[in-house]
Amino acid sequence: MTAAGARIDVGAPVATGRILVAGIVLACLTEAIASTILALGRADIIGDTYATPDEFAWLDVGYTAFKLIGFVFAPWLLTRVDPRRLLLIATLVMGAACAAAVATAVLDVLVVLRAVQGLAGATLLVSGQTILFWNFPASRQPILQAVFAMGSVVAPATAAPFLEGWLIDNHDWTWIFFMVLPLSLGAAGLLIVADPTPARPAPPRRLDWIGLGAFGAALLSATYVLTQGSRWDWLEASRIGWMSAIAIAALLLFAFRQFRVGDEGLLDLSTFQTEDFAFAFFVSFVAGAALFGSAFVIPAFAVSVLGFSPTEAGELLLPSGACFLATLLFAAYMMQARGLPPVATVPFGVLSIMVAMWMLSGSNGESGAADMMPAILLRGFGLGFLFLSITLIAFSKLPPASVAFGIGIFNIGRQLGGLIGIAVLQTSIDHDLVYNQTVLGAAIQTGSPALAERIAATTDLLVSRGVEASAAAKTATAMVGRAVGGQGAVIAFDTAFNLVALLFVFGAPMIIAFKIFLAKTTASRRSDRPGATT
């Protein structure tokens, strides 16, 4: 049976099919909001919970680690539970966990709730996308996957930060969690109304508890290392060294266990025998670093250097989301109605993101939203072309029984790529801030004519506006110091933008080389089969 043939062409009527898709997208929106709350709500949550930055970090670590664990646990659940029922349960659990987070400011409780949210979020993402592949024909997948990406990729990268920034500026962080509840209830209502999903081609399989424990320990430790490594200067701190050792040891144990039990292992590694999936997984790892890395560095630059409020920082990415969405729908139309092969848009996506980040590297402390907008729009254009293509490439040729496992593995790759990308950018920014301050500070030593002239001019300006001479001199010196610090931050962020661009400069040849390697490996494997002709 082929992957396309296993999908149900005679499933729910069109009306209930649309209701099902709407319920899936609405469920994904709950995860989009929950996953991005810490990006802009950090200061407010720390203030209300009286947590130190290191204690607060566990909110992020707990959510991300259990989301990664959920990506390997959810495919097994789909072999045991009806997909629509599992999606419904995960959506309601997400809503309940977010509602509970509104009612408490106890940090330990919030950490547990964030872990529950991460597990539920991964489950609803995997089950929702699996339903689309299992229950709709291959001919409709381009537009369906574009619609799914609206809730799973576009919303957390663009719309959610704006909404959360507005809520923080006008209300408080608890409103972000609170608004997940009505969304989850709405999604649950749509899923209940929709017809049952008849297809579940994955046969039941036993859960490898040992493998899950080892892989979970590896993911939890790796998440802590990647999110907190820069904070502790990486291996300079013993805790990072120990967590790295635990991650490596647990990963080796998992690999041994997976090899020993074979087909009964936690992951269905047969997905990598499909050339297109292996290629798309590699591309998604690189693309994840670009997506999450750029989504981290652009708002950070806007808030810390340009002085944007959370709402303004969120607004900065909104036009990019509109461009992202428009490109997704255009690419879906070209693939579904015109037969454009998905791989055809990958070069456009890679080139657009690379050029966009290079353009952003020219930003300075005087830049505004209008100056950055062409590059931000180009970034959205590139992401729209890239993510739909690699999704269709990854799953279109997978056997139906392997689709859910492939989705889980694919998401792990993208998420880990994003964590590594953010860790590299954060480390670069932290180190460059210190280095730039040192270099720029050394260049304006006391006695420098240029420094004396700048301070004198600033002092005269302040005096002319009514400031006393002694106070004006001190204020002028402080203003020059802040200007030096600001310039150092600009240089640090410009370097970070260039790093994202360079990711594709080096990544593109690697992607091409990997594609050639896979093609040769596949050809060799086919020629070695019994009865193969030369």
Side-chain angles (χ1 to χ4, degrees), residues 357-441:
M357 301 312 293
W358 174 76
M359 292 169 62
L360 285 172
S361 69
S363 303
N364 56 58
E366 301 300 321
S367 297
D371 301 306
M372 302 172 67
M373 196 52 60
I376 290 174
L377 291 176
L378 185 60
R379 169 184 174 269
F381 176 86
L383 291 173
F385 271 146
L386 188 59
F387 273 91
L388 179 61
S389 296
I390 60 177
T391 297
L392 295 176
I393 292 170
F395 307 121
S396 295
K397 296 182 180 179
L398 280 182
S402 299
V403 166
F405 290 94
I407 290 172
I409 294 170
F410 183 85
N411 278 286
I412 290 174
R414 185 173 65 185
Q415 193 79 33
L416 286 177
L419 287 175
I420 293 172
I422 293 174
V424 171
L425 293 174
Q426 184 67 69
T427 302
S428 172
I429 292 170
D430 290 344
H431 287 189
D432 283 353
L433 284 173
V434 176
Y435 176 77
N436 295 336
Q437 283 279 76
T438 303
V439 173
L440 293 175

Side-chain angles (χ1 to χ4, degrees), residues 164-472:
E164 292 167 3
W166 184 85
L167 288 173
I168 290 172
D169 283 342
N170 294 277
H171 299 284
D172 62 67
W173 62 273
T174 59
W175 278 80
I176 301 175
F177 280 131
F178 180 75
M179 71 172 300
V180 173
L181 180 60
L183 286 176
S184 66
L185 294 176
L190 292 173
L191 293 172
I192 292 172
V193 171
D195 283 353
T197 51
R200 195 173 76 203
R205 55 190 288 166
R206 294 169 53 191
L207 179 62
D208 181 13
W209 287 102
I210 297 176
L212 180 62
F215 202 48
L219 291 173
L220 180 61
S221 302
T223 301
Y224 183 86
V225 170
L226 291 173
T227 57
Q228 300 302 304
S230 180
R231 160 75 176 86
W232 295 99
D233 201 16
W234 297 99
L235 296 179
E236 294 296 322
S238 60
R239 68 177 67 190
I240 299 298
W242 278 109
M243 294 297 277
S244 299
I246 293 173
I248 294 172
L251 187 60
L252 291 174
L253 174 61
F254 167 75
F256 173 76
R257 176 68 180 179
Q258 185 78 25
F259 175 78
R260 183 177 181 181
V261 300
D263 293 339
E264 297 298 321
L266 180 66
L267 300 179
D268 181 4
L269 297 182
S270 66
T271 54
F272 288 99
Q273 295 178 6
T274 302
E275 177 187 339
D276 285 350
F277 177 82
F279 171 72
F281 176 84
F282 183 77
V283 177
S284 74
F285 186 85
V286 178
L291 171 66
F292 290 98
S294 59
F296 158 74
V297 74
I298 292 174
F301 175 76
V303 172
S304 61
V305 176
L306 302 183
F308 282 24
S309 67
T311 301
E312 292 170 336
E315 287 176 345
L316 190 62
L317 293 177
L318 270 184
S320 174
C323 191
F324 194 166
L325 179 59
T327 309
L328 270 176
L329 296 176
F330 173 74
Y333 167 77
M334 293 299 295
M335 294 172 192
Q336 184 164 312
R338 300 298 180 183
L340 182 72
V343 73
T345 63
V346 172
F348 294 101
V350 170
L351 183 62
S352 297
I353 297 173
M354 183 174 64
V355 173
M357 301 312 293
W358 174 76
M359 292 169 62
L360 285 172
S361 69
S363 303
N364 56 58
E366 301 300 321
S367 297
D371 301 306
M372 302 172 67
M373 196 52 60
I376 290 174
L377 291 176
L378 185 60
R379 169 184 174 269
F381 176 86
L383 291 173
F385 271 146
L386 188 59
F387 273 91
L388 179 61
S389 296
I390 60 177
T391 297
L392 295 176
I393 292 170
F395 307 121
S396 295
K397 296 182 180 179
L398 280 182
S402 299
V403 166
F405 290 94
I407 290 172
I409 294 170
F410 183 85
N411 278 286
I412 290 174
R414 185 173 65 185
Q415 193 79 33
L416 286 177
L419 287 175
I420 293 172
I422 293 174
V424 171
L425 293 174
Q426 184 67 69
T427 302
S428 172
I429 292 170
D430 290 344
H431 287 189
D432 283 353
L433 284 173
V434 176
Y435 176 77
N436 295 336
Q437 283 279 76
T438 303
V439 173
L440 293 175
I444 54 172
Q445 295 291 340
T446 302
S448 167
L451 175 62
E453 182 179 346
R454 176 68 177 269
I455 292 177
T458 306
T459 301
D460 292 340
L461 178 62
L462 293 172
V463 170
S464 68
R465 295 186 177 181
V467 180
E468 295 183 0
S470 58

Side-chain angles (χ1 to χ4, degrees), residues 21 24-25 28-29 87 124-130 132-133 141-155 328 391 407 411 414:
V21 173
I24 291 172
V25 173
C28 291
L29 286 176
L87 175 60
L124 66 86
L125 287 175
V126 174
S127 57
Q129 193 169 21
T130 301
L132 296 180
F133 277 107
Q141 288 304 318
I143 189 64
L144 287 171
Q145 294 305 317
V147 172
F148 179 81
M150 293 179 191
S152 62
V153 180
V154 178
L328 270 176
T391 297
I407 290 172
N411 278 286
R414 185 173 65 185

